Amino acid sequence: MGRSPCREEISGVKKGPWTPEEDEKLIDYITKHSHGSWRTLPKRAGLNRCGKSCRLRWTNYLRPDIKRGQFTEEDERTIINLHSVLGNKWSKIAAHLPGRTDNEIKNYWNTHIRKKLLKMGIDPETHKPRTDLNHLMSLSQLLGMSNLSSVMNSTWGNNHLGLQQDINQLAKIQLLQNLLQLMNSNSFVNMGNPYLFGNPNLNPLFLNGINPLKEPVVLSGSERFANPSVYSQAQSECSQQQDVSKSLAIAQDPDYSKISSTNTYHSHENQEENPLPALVAASPRMGTLNPMGSGCGNLAQTSEESPSNTFFDDWEKLFDDERSGSYWKEILELTSTSASPIMW
DNA sequence: AATCACCCCAACCGCCCACCC
DNA sequence: CGGGTGGGCGGTTGGGGTGAT
């Protein structure tokens, strides 16, 4: 049972943007007397506003410890990492970014990060490759354009051959990624599948500088997850689902145990499926498509398991093998090791 | 110069939960 | 135990700013 937003509204309190005079009154009053009861504050401070409006104005804008200005790349990475585990728990995310408000982070997510991830072909809700029809359609259109470009090259010269290859590779990679995602959601068991989970190049957590096999999570400015036993306990709690994301959530969120019994914990609904490569560049020529800055985009140097030089080399090799037939064979071999049959 | 479309973000809305009486 | 209240939360809105036409 909720309550009406502002009872004072009935008596015609002011709404809308705050004036500098109102701000001054509010700051002056709170610095002298602290806010006390928000409901009675407007009267005490001589403001024609509802208490809730005063509280929001103070916490989101006037508080002296508010950090203004652009989000740094590190901020952005932290937000993405935390969002992948916590979901839209903006206040929890804000707790890891001193001086930033939940409202500010929420706005930044919706206006910047969300779009960036969508452009990358990543679902901002699940942090996994998009599998929705529209996106797949656009990819198939991309492939169609690529083929058209190929025809044009053969007709009018090969000036655009490089671009055409890039588009082609990008579309193929994205399509394969989506295909794997679909298979993955049905049958893959990540923890037992080193190809996906154990490979630093293929796990989103590794991509963000986190090794989920060695440490719970690395979050700037936080030591909440420094206790390995908490994480391992969380992991064992989730062993049936083999869901590392759930483990992370439990390790991080002291409220999880309360919520988990109801089976409504937000991020878990999204994390039921297994993670797949989060970021894919079209080809080395196009450079790394890295939405989060330099800190997490260097996929090549972290590889210990692949004989190839880079993550992209692996993918390119895979696509090169397409012609020899081993491309699909490799996928089929991969899927045949999983527990249950693939539903096509 | 005028109009339009889109973007951004402060502020609002409505729901929920914890606490108090 | 139940109702009322304070405060917190996530989602949404609307108006100003800006770039494109």
Side-chain angles (χ1 to χ4, degrees):
Chain A
M1 190 63 70
R3 55 186 279 255
S4 56
C6 265
R7 301 240 170 109
E8 296 94 320
E9 274 177 32
I10 301 162
S11 56
V13 295
K14 192 182 171 197
K15 285 169 71 175
W18 280 65
T19 64
E21 291 75 30
E22 286 176 315
D23 283 346
E24 203 178 328
K25 272 186 183 176
L26 186 59
I27 293 169
D28 192 49
Y29 183 84
I30 291 177
T31 48
K32 282 179 185 166
H33 307 95
S34 94
H35 59 75
S37 164
W38 287 110
R39 182 169 283 266
T40 57
L41 183 142
K43 212 171 191 177
R44 287 182 278 133
L47 286 160
N48 188 29
R49 293 272 182 176
C50 77
K52 194 170 184 175
S53 179
C54 293
R55 180 171 56 83
L56 284 173
R57 183 63 180 172
W58 175 257
T59 55
N60 286 337
Y61 203 81
L62 298 175
R63 238 172 50 200
D65 58 330
I66 292 277
K67 188 171 150 192
R68 301 254 132 225
Q70 291 259 318
F71 280 81
T72 65
E73 286 182 357
E74 193 188 342
D75 287 342
E76 201 168 302
R77 277 197 299 277
T78 304
I79 293 168
I80 292 168
N81 282 338
L82 288 167
H83 187 272
S84 70
V85 178
L86 298 171
N88 295 355
K89 304 288 178 190
W90 305 116
S91 58
K92 284 196 167 73
I93 294 171
H96 291 276
L97 294 157
R100 300 291 188 183
T101 68
D102 54 351
N103 203 39
E104 197 180 9
I105 292 169
K106 180 174 59 182
N107 282 332
Y108 188 69
W109 176 271
N110 286 329
T111 55
H112 293 94
I113 300 176
R114 196 169 183 279
K115 286 176 191 170
K116 225 179 227 184
L117 293 178
L118 284 171
K119 267 188 189 172
M120 299 290 300
I122 297 164
D123 186 336
E125 305 306 317
T126 62
H127 292 257
K128 288 181 284 190
R130 294 167 67 190
T131 54
D132 58 278
L133 191 59
N134 286 342
H135 183 57
L136 289 171
M137 287 291 281
S138 67
L139 287 171
S140 63
Q141 281 170 2
L142 199 59
L143 267 176
M145 275 178 58
S146 170
N147 292 334
L148 178 64
S149 171
S150 178
V151 171
M152 287 164 72
N153 282 331
S154 62
T155 308
W156 297 311
N158 61 356
N159 288 350
H160 307 293
L161 193 58
L163 176 63
Q164 182 253 321
Q165 284 174 345
D166 286 337
I167 294 170
N168 207 349
Q169 290 286 68
L170 175 61
K172 282 179 177 176
I173 287 169
Q174 288 278 347
L175 279 169
L176 178 61
Q177 202 174 3
N178 287 318
L179 178 62
L180 282 169
Q181 169 66 27
L182 287 170
M183 297 189 312
N184 190 42
S185 65
N186 283 324
S187 63
F188 272 53
V189 180
N190 280 346
M191 298 289 279
N193 190 336
Y195 184 81
L196 291 177
F197 186 85
N199 188 336
N201 288 337
L202 295 175
N203 190 291
L205 291 173
F206 282 108
L207 300 187
N208 289 332
I210 297 165
N211 184 343
L213 297 178
K214 290 182 181 169
E215 54 195 314
V217 73
V218 178
L219 298 171
S220 60
S222 169
E223 295 178 354
R224 286 179 69 188
F225 322 116
N227 184 351
S229 65
V230 174
Y231 176 68
S232 58
Q233 184 194 342
Q235 240 183 347
S236 68
E237 279 189 46
C238 300
S239 58
Q240 284 188 331
Q241 288 99 338
Q242 301 285 338
D243 187 344
V244 70
S245 299
K246 189 173 283 186
S247 307
L248 288 169
I250 297 172
Q252 288 179 93
D253 191 348
D255 296 333
Y256 174 79
S257 57
K258 279 184 276 178
I259 309 164
S260 61
S261 60
T262 64
N263 251 346
T264 56
Y265 195 71
H266 175 82
S267 63
H268 300 164
E269 292 166 14
N270 293 337
Q271 303 291 347
E272 287 298 319
E273 299 165 9
N274 301 313
L276 268 175
L279 307 175
V280 172
S283 74
R285 204 180 310 115
M286 286 180 80
T288 304
L289 296 176
N290 178 8
M292 290 165 275
S294 56
C296 62
N298 196 343
L299 309 173
Q301 278 75 7
T302 55
S303 175
E304 291 176 1
E305 303 185 10
S306 167
S308 305
N309 287 332
T310 69
F311 168 74
F312 304 109
D313 290 343
D314 289 340
W315 282 102
E316 280 205 299
K317 187 166 169 287
L318 188 64
F319 283 112
D320 285 341
D321 289 346
E322 182 184 356
R323 281 184 292 273
S324 67
S326 64
Y327 164 66
W328 294 109
K329 202 174 85 182
E330 192 166 339
I331 293 172
L332 290 171
E333 281 172 359
L334 197 65
T335 56
S336 69
T337 61
S338 61
S340 58
I342 306 294
M343 304 299 289
W344 293 97

